[in-house]
Amino acid sequence: MPDVTPQRSWVLSVLPYGVMAVVTVVDVTAGPSVGFLPLVSLGPAFAGLAGGWRRTALIGGLATLLCLGLGLYDGLFTGRRGWTALASVAGVTVAGLVAAVMRQRREAELASVRSIAEVAQRVLLRPVPRSAGHLRVAVSYTSAVAEARIGGDLYEVVASPAGVRVIVGDVQGKGLEAVETAALVLGAFREAAHDEADLAGVGARLERVADRELQGEKFVTAVLAEVGNDGTVTLLNYGHPAPMIVRPDGRVRFAEPPLPALPLGLGIHAGHRPESHSERFTPGDQMLLYTDGVSEARDGAGRFYPLEDRGGLLKDPDSESALQALRADLVLHAAGPLHDDAAMLLIRHHDADVSGRRPSITG
């Protein structure tokens, strides 16, 4: 449920009083022949939209007193019109009380679910290091508007003897099942990234785990990257959007794989296994890994987000600020809440570490 903005909250808080005031003025000036008196019940009706049951009961009591006063002033209680209006106010007040109690109970349950989901997401997606050897890293995660605020996008950065190894992926589906799958893949990656001699070995380990553990039609798109000290980055793509590489002069290149490959978890089906490929990655270069919540975000006219035209937004010297500018532009393009989670991980190559030592990670 989206949060209520302060302006909307203020309007909802004064609306019941404003409606009852208008009905009172019209009834007094126009007389009982207009038949506006039953509309006093709009006060408690609108009160149930915001605030608690106590506020609804208070406005309902005020509407009842107002209905009694106006009915006596108009002389309507000598017939059925006055009693009908009073019954309308009482009935709407009771309905508003029931609605307010149910809404408050649901909001409490929703707050609990959100809290648990956000804790689970923080445990799953640990903060990435801001620097790893000669690299600078920044991450952005934007959840789609959903009650649990939890999805299946995943990312991790690990320093290994072979270089800095990275994964960005997207689990098919949402909710706790997606989180369970993401935890499975991340756990396998964190272990394999330290143990395997090359990136192909890391990918093979993930394939075995995914094929063994994922049931039915579950799958995970993912891209693995290994940034070495030799001025190259090695990539392994499992049906995931290709990383975007931005050169120091602003040129943009998408590191497309040689052949399309199936996502993790679909290895039992016929198809090409991913082939590792390398790209030049030297001081001044940037590489953006992202999920399809970024590349497939649409504007009001249904146009996809033109990521290839947004390389210039990453020019800020501070990695976090540069990625924040790209995120703000993405939300602006969507003109509202995103319909899918959007994860972005930016890697920048600064001064090269020519010592050949294992990269160190700092937070």
Side-chain angles (χ1 to χ4, degrees), residues 12 15-16 19 41-50 55 59 92:
L12 290 177
L15 185 59
V19 169
S41 60
L42 290 175
F46 286 123
L49 298 177
R55 179 173 178 271
I59 294 176
V92 172

Side-chain angles (χ1 to χ4, degrees), residues 44-177:
F46 286 123
L49 298 177
W53 66 268
R54 291 183 178 86
R55 179 173 178 271
T56 303
L58 175 64
I59 294 176
L62 179 61
T64 301
L65 292 175
L66 193 60
C67 184
L68 280 171
L70 291 174
L72 291 172
Y73 176 80
D74 294 331
L76 297 179
F77 287 108
T78 57
R80 290 182 298 179
R81 288 178 59 190
W83 298 107
T84 301
L86 193 61
S88 299
V89 172
V92 172
T93 299
V94 171
L97 285 170
V98 172
V101 170
M102 294 179 63
R103 178 175 52 79
Q104 284 185 300
R105 185 174 301 172
R106 182 176 181 275
E107 288 175 351
E109 294 174 352
L110 178 57
S112 177
V113 170
R114 282 179 172 176
S115 177
I116 295 172
E118 288 169 358
V119 170
Q121 194 101 13
R122 285 197 298 269
V123 172
L124 177 68
L125 300 177
R126 303 179 303 197
V128 300
R130 296 196 63 179
S131 63
H134 53 272
L135 306 178
R136 299 295 179 267
V137 183
V139 67
S140 169
Y141 186 93
T142 305
S143 294
V145 174
E147 292 192 351
R149 289 185 177 178
I150 194 165
D153 287 5
L154 57 94
Y155 52 81
E156 183 60 287
V157 178
V158 174
S160 74
V164 176
R165 289 173 171 171
V166 179
I167 183 173
V168 171
D170 187 0
V171 178
Q172 176 264 339
K174 300 291 179 185
L176 294 180
E177 287 189 0

